[in-house]
Amino acid sequence: MFGYRFIRRERPLPGGQVAAFAAGVLIALLVGAVLLVASGNDPFEAYAKMFDASFGSWRALSTTLTRAVPLGLAGLAVAVAGTMGLWNIGAEGQIIAGAIGAAWIARLGPDLAGPILIPAMLIAAIAGGAILALGPALARARLGVNEIITTLMLNEVAIRVVRYLVNGPWKDPEGQGFPIAPVLPEQSRLPDFFSRANIGVLIAAFVLLIFGYYASRSRWGYELKIAGSSAEAAKYVGVSLKAKILTVLVLSGAIAGLAGGIELTGSADRLVEGVANGWGYAGIIVAALALMRPSGVAAVAVAFGAVQVGGLAIQTLGVPAAISDIIQALILFGALSAAVFSTYKLTRGGLGAAEPTGQDEDARATV
Amino acid sequence: MEANGLAVELAGIWKRFPGVIANAGANLKVRPGTVHALLGENGAGKTTLMNVLAGVYLPDEGTVSLDGVEQHFAKPADAIAAGVGMVHQEFRLIPTFTVSENVVLGSGPPIIAKSTIEDQVAELASRFGLATEPGREVWQLSMGERQRVEILKALWRDARVLILDEPTAVLTPGEAEELGRITAAMAADGRSLIFISHKLDEVTAFCDEATVLRGGKTVAESLPVSELDATRLAELMVGETAEVSQRRTRETDVGSPVLAVEHVVVRDIHDRAIVDDVSLTVASGEIVGIAGVAGNGQRPLADAIAGLIPTESGSVMISGTDVSGTSPRARNMAGLSYVPEDRLGVGLAPRMDVVENSIMRAYRALSKGLLIDRTGASVYGDKLVEDYDVKVGKMEAPVAGLSGGNLQRLLVGRELEVNPAVLVAAQPTRGLDVKGVAAIQQILVRQAAEGVGILLISEDLEELFALSDRLLVMHEGEVVGEFDPDVATRQEVGAAMAGAHKVEET
């Protein structure tokens, strides 16, 4: 009863969130340096390598941006739902559903010209993600069923469906028995952008920009905010909570589906079981780091991608994979702590001491 | 038992909170085997005093004695160990646990054999005539049944003194009678009960003696209830020197009705009529006050007028338009504005900023196509903040950081800026400091002078007397009286609030 606890700050942290993030990451790098020294590596060299591998050249930048595409779209999917206090934990499954949709179109029309085939694949991917999110959306809007559980469980369904496809009807006859679908037609590949990046980077950047702007400036975004902030206030001013829940969750699924579509028309050359690669879950971290603001997702996704690319690169210096993983995790942990501390403060006190004025329960929309 | 023969003695209790003195030398003496009523208006310090007895608060001064032995409770567990139990207004039960699991929680044997415990709880319940099913999960129970579980919890810990904080507020009349029988059985067993209430009929029916608090002080100690009548009680509760503050002088004549409520009935989930056949009208330029002790249907009435909760029957007309069964927004468009009791949550969205909260009623008009006109929105917000004198740090900061008075000025301003025909204001000055109260009252008076019809729901009698043209009293969901504030006395209104009509009828 008299321990430490977090309470929401009434005012944002002075100095801003950027300073908090910088401090969090710096602390993580210091702790990481200790580990690097302990494992017999030069921390300066390792960190220089990390930066060089992720931003040091056009090639490095293109690798980082390519990595950031699925992270950013998955993060946006989670953040859009988070704007009104909903948790889409199903981006992983929705990415798979999107990839299945795209692969299906490629099977249907393998001879279509690229400018027709690629958009068709992307639209099918968007539809796939949206369809997978539709069930949880309806259940939440009409029956009040917790979307965290339903979206999470559908991830398992999506994984099993793709596993069935690549082991059964869609299995590549020339795949030497591996559970993989046939290689996609050559004209289904997205054109190159620069170095190793394809124009999927531009598509994702465009979607992130539109939503970042639209969510903060539009009537729709404003109504979402009211609905997420106070269900009662929303009801009073005539914002339909049910309609908002439905559209937001389906939209969230559609964005994650697009990530699957870009993956299939971009980096991946065929549909495989691991097509989503954990990006759907990483998207939750991206959204949390962006403080659930769609406008912040792009920057976080690039930084997250850079940490992953850089973390892999230092293994070439002889840094053990485990240490590299720990350093990546530390940086995320430092940044996440900064996100928490920029919105909450730690106080020591008993009951009734400085109760937060905002009711946190209000953050979750209820029907 | 010690020489003084008192089960409970609270002497000279002082308890101060930042900016508030809740208890200023309060006394209470409870004899063993009696049911003792603790009476007083809202804010008289009843709940604080009981929290001192239950070990929730440490008193700043004064002593707490049980059976003549002075006690020093550092935490609620100390009070429980000394035999004090409290049934709070909000029950503290775990919905997914069974009745018996809730009863023994925290004080059962280390290994709980379900059937044994259920038998023991059932036996305890039958000793005091408490109807309960020990094996049922609490979420399935009615409010009355849940209350009995709370009482069982106290009895299981062998409470010699049981505090019931407004126990009948959540009960149906039948359940309240049942509770009366239970308290009598417990008193007959030699236990002492402290019964916090506003309702005179219950006090006379269930209690032996009564102590009245006013302004944190004891103004009447251990009066036999047989000597109480409604007028005397009202005098004690509200004070005899009821100096009515500056009466509002009306500048305009009352116009045509802008709000007409007819035979409205609202039921809660337990099918209790919480608004029971209420009819009222408010004319343009008129302030109609609704007095009543909290929880007598004022809030659901206001919510029902605003369209936030459904009505079972009856109609609501706003400026001649029948809005029964329509959405809150349809009522807004017909000319209704609402300042709800929960200013943060229902009224304002705590985490949205000042501008965002300002434009909630006007954002559709401030949109250009799909986008909100940011310049227009910020001009609108700036004007609101200036016109209604809202002190804000940054317009982009969440409103959760504003003080109560500023929140209320922002909310009232937002609701009036759209030029409503009628304003329903629920507890608009509650919790505000003197300056804040005056500011809100001035705004209401000014708006009435400009022709807005105002329905003012308040627990502050002084405010109602000062502002209202007509004064209605609600009790148990019904309008039980209408008074002219120019001639009525606070005692008359207070007696109606306490349910005097019921006593007189019987």
Side-chain angles (χ1 to χ4, degrees):
Chain A
M1 198 197 294
F2 294 98
Y4 290 95
R5 62 205 182 103
F6 281 108
I7 66 168
R8 183 171 277 275
R9 287 180 195 277
E10 286 175 8
R11 282 163 232 286
L13 192 66
Q17 281 144 358
V18 176
F21 275 113
V25 172
L26 193 67
I27 293 169
L29 292 179
L30 287 173
V31 177
V34 174
L35 292 173
L36 285 168
V37 170
S39 63
N41 293 283
D42 178 356
F44 294 104
E45 190 192 356
Y47 289 145
K49 177 81 182 174
M50 272 184 93
F51 183 81
D52 195 47
S54 50
F55 292 116
S57 62
W58 286 113
R59 188 185 156 84
L61 185 64
S62 70
T63 312
T64 297
L65 290 180
T66 302
R67 205 38 105 99
V69 167
L71 290 171
L73 289 175
L76 180 65
V78 178
V80 163
T83 317
M84 68 171 291
L86 296 170
W87 284 98
N88 176 15
I89 309 297
E92 187 81 0
Q94 290 146 10
I95 292 173
I96 295 173
I100 291 174
W104 183 55
I105 294 294
R107 283 183 76 85
L108 285 181
D111 300 324
L112 288 171
I116 298 169
L117 182 57
I118 294 173
M121 285 170 76
L122 293 182
I123 288 167
I126 290 169
I131 289 168
L132 197 65
L134 184 63
L138 282 170
R140 180 74 168 97
R142 300 192 169 242
L143 306 169
V145 177
N146 189 326
E147 78 287 352
I148 299 178
I149 310 291
T150 48
T151 52
L152 180 64
M153 289 195 301
L154 282 176
N155 288 343
E156 294 301 315
V157 173
I159 286 171
R160 276 158 181 77
V161 170
V162 72
R163 186 177 294 161
Y164 164 73
L165 288 174
V166 298
N167 278 293
W170 289 11
K171 188 170 180 175
D172 185 1
E174 291 152 33
Q176 296 169 335
F178 284 107
I180 49 177
V183 175
L184 293 163
E186 189 54 37
Q187 79 277 16
S188 74
R189 315 219 62 81
L190 285 167
D192 286 339
F193 176 35
F194 73 94
S195 189
R196 298 167 72 180
N198 60 50
I199 63 162
V201 171
L202 293 181
I203 298 173
F206 179 72
V207 170
L208 283 164
L209 205 70
I210 290 290
F211 272 99
Y213 183 78
Y214 196 63
S216 63
R217 299 290 296 273
S218 68
R219 262 174 73 162
W220 178 79
Y222 175 70
E223 288 174 352
L224 275 194
K225 241 180 139 173
I226 300 177
S229 180
S230 165
E232 288 286 324
K235 191 175 179 188
Y236 175 61
V237 299
V239 172
S240 164
L241 215 53
K242 287 186 183 190
K244 284 283 173 292
I245 290 170
L246 201 63
T247 50
V248 153
L249 279 178
V250 170
L251 186 69
S252 174
I255 295 168
L258 176 63
I262 291 179
E263 184 59 19
L264 222 62
T265 53
S267 312
D269 55 359
R270 60 173 91 212
L271 182 67
V272 294
E273 195 183 315
V275 62
N277 197 24
W279 288 314
Y281 296 112
I284 301 167
I285 303 174
V286 171
L289 284 172
L291 305 174
M292 288 293 162
R293 285 184 208 142
S295 56
V297 167
V300 173
V302 171
F304 199 145
V307 169
Q308 287 192 344
V309 171
L312 272 178
I314 57 170
Q315 293 181 26
T316 62
L317 294 176
V319 175
I323 299 286
S324 152
D325 285 349
I326 291 172
I327 290 172
Q328 290 180 45
L330 277 172
I331 293 172
L332 289 180
F333 196 77
L336 268 176
S337 311
V340 170
F341 275 100
S342 64
T343 0
Y344 293 88
K345 61 183 170 188
L346 196 59
T347 55
R348 200 194 153 110
L351 289 174
E355 283 295 328
T357 35
Q359 291 147 314
D360 277 354
E361 289 78 11
D362 286 348
R364 284 199 55 78
T366 45
V367 181
Chain B
M1 202 116 336
E2 291 294 314
N4 66 6
L6 290 174
V8 176
E9 183 174 14
L10 298 173
I13 302 289
W14 281 79
K15 183 69 193 171
R16 301 174 187 86
F17 294 106
V20 184
I21 299 175
N23 287 153
N27 300 318
L28 176 69
K29 295 190 177 106
V30 182
R31 291 185 293 115
T34 61
V35 183
H36 195 105
L38 185 60
L39 300 162
E41 282 190 306
N42 282 303
K46 305 182 297 287
T47 301
T48 305
L49 189 63
M50 289 303 98
N51 277 324
V52 166
L53 177 56
V56 177
Y57 297 142
L58 261 164
D60 298 331
E61 286 170 45
T63 57
V64 176
S65 308
L66 297 178
D67 294 331
V69 182
E70 195 173 326
Q71 307 283 335
H72 298 279
F73 300 141
K75 53 183 186 292
D78 296 347
I80 292 169
V84 178
M86 184 158 177
V87 177
H88 295 270
Q89 281 186 61
E90 277 95 35
F91 300 146
R92 290 154 190 212
L93 299 171
I94 299 172
T96 52
F97 278 22
T98 65
V99 169
S100 57
E101 283 166 344
N102 268 288
V103 167
V104 303
L105 187 69
S107 70
I111 296 164
I112 297 180
K114 211 169 176 182
S115 56
T116 323
I117 294 296
E118 284 179 10
D119 289 347
Q120 288 177 7
V121 169
E123 191 205 312
L124 182 68
S126 67
R127 252 178 71 200
F128 294 96
L130 288 135
T132 188
E133 293 163 76
R136 278 184 82 188
E137 292 185 0
V138 162
W139 62 270
Q140 301 171 310
L141 305 181
S142 74
M143 294 313 267
E145 290 171 303
R146 289 179 202 203
Q147 186 175 62
R148 292 200 283 275
V149 179
E150 285 280 8
I151 294 172
L152 273 173
K153 264 169 75 179
L155 287 171
W156 179 264
R157 288 157 181 77
D158 198 27
R160 306 300 303 166
V161 177
L162 183 66
I163 305 160
L164 301 166
D165 192 358
E166 294 193 39
T168 56
V170 295
L171 302 184
T172 62
E175 285 176 328
E177 274 175 41
E178 169 86 36
L179 178 67
R181 282 195 291 277
I182 295 166
T183 54
M186 289 169 65
D189 193 48
R191 295 165 204 267
S192 310
L193 290 102
I194 301 173
F195 194 103
I196 302 182
S197 182
H198 295 288
K199 298 178 187 168
L200 185 62
D201 53 345
E202 291 167 10
V203 171
T204 47
F206 303 158
C207 302
D208 303 308
E209 291 179 337
T211 291
V212 183
L213 291 186
R214 187 169 75 232
K217 293 190 186 74
T218 302
V219 291
E221 202 170 309
S222 302
L223 297 172
V225 289
S226 53
E227 288 176 19
L228 281 175
D229 62 56
T231 320
R232 173 91 181 105
L233 188 72
E235 269 175 23
L236 287 169
M237 277 169 58
V238 301
E240 291 173 66
T241 55
E243 88 302 340
V244 172
S245 65
Q246 192 90 38
R247 192 65 192 105
R248 176 172 79 98
T249 46
R250 192 170 31 226
E251 293 161 23
T252 49
D253 284 331
V254 169
S256 53
V258 286
L259 173 68
V261 174
E262 275 173 28
H263 304 294
V264 162
V265 177
V266 177
R267 287 185 191 277
D268 67 7
I269 53 165
H270 301 297
D271 212 33
R272 212 156 53 105
I274 44 176
V275 175
D276 196 355
D277 195 21
V278 167
S279 299
L280 59 87
T281 60
V282 180
S284 169
E286 187 182 34
I287 299 183
V288 176
I290 293 189
V293 172
N296 276 287
Q298 302 95 315
R299 185 183 176 144
L301 174 65
D303 282 349
I305 293 172
L308 288 168
I309 58 171
T311 53
E312 184 187 73
S313 57
S315 69
V316 178
M317 305 262 283
I318 293 164
S319 297
T321 315
D322 188 344
V323 295
S324 315
T326 63
S327 70
R329 179 159 150 70
R331 296 172 196 226
N332 286 166
M333 303 215 303
L336 175 81
S337 275
Y338 182 32
V339 174
E341 200 174 317
D342 283 342
R343 50 192 80 129
L344 210 53
V346 185
L348 301 167
R351 260 175 263 156
M352 294 174 77
D353 69 29
V354 180
V355 175
E356 288 170 333
N357 269 292
S358 309
I359 63 169
M360 248 179 223
R361 287 288 305 273
Y363 73 92
R364 290 177 181 87
L366 287 168
S367 298
K368 288 178 180 166
L370 293 172
L371 300 183
I372 287 178
D373 171 14
R374 293 235 280 200
T375 323
S378 93
V379 167
Y380 191 89
D382 287 342
K383 182 174 181 295
L384 205 65
V385 163
E386 188 170 328
D387 286 356
Y388 291 90
D389 197 24
V390 188
K391 302 274 187 304
V392 293
K394 270 165 63 181
M395 296 295 282
E396 295 80 24
V399 295
L402 299 181
S403 73
N406 284 313
L407 282 175
Q408 193 68 326
R409 278 195 283 265
L410 180 65
L411 176 57
V412 169
R414 184 188 85 195
E415 292 300 315
L416 290 172
E417 192 66 20
V418 292
N419 297 319
V422 52
L423 175 74
V424 176
Q427 317 292 356
T429 60
R430 184 157 77 189
L432 305 189
D433 58 21
V434 181
K435 235 178 92 194
V437 170
I440 296 294
Q441 289 180 347
Q442 275 165 20
I443 292 171
L444 295 180
V445 168
R446 202 166 59 224
Q447 288 293 319
E450 286 173 15
V452 178
I454 296 176
L455 185 65
L456 173 63
I457 297 170
S458 179
E459 280 161 32
D460 182 347
L461 272 186
E462 201 168 317
E463 170 173 290
L464 289 168
F465 269 97
L467 299 185
S468 309
D469 297 310
R470 287 186 292 129
L471 185 52
L472 310 178
V473 176
M474 279 188 84
H475 181 254
E476 291 182 351
E478 293 173 63
V479 171
V480 295
E482 175 169 345
F483 297 89
D484 177 350
D486 284 329
V487 294
T489 65
R490 285 168 57 106
Q491 284 72 28
E492 285 168 357
V493 175
M497 285 165 63
H501 65 293
K502 288 213 154 183
V503 180
E504 281 150 18
E505 279 165 18
T506 49

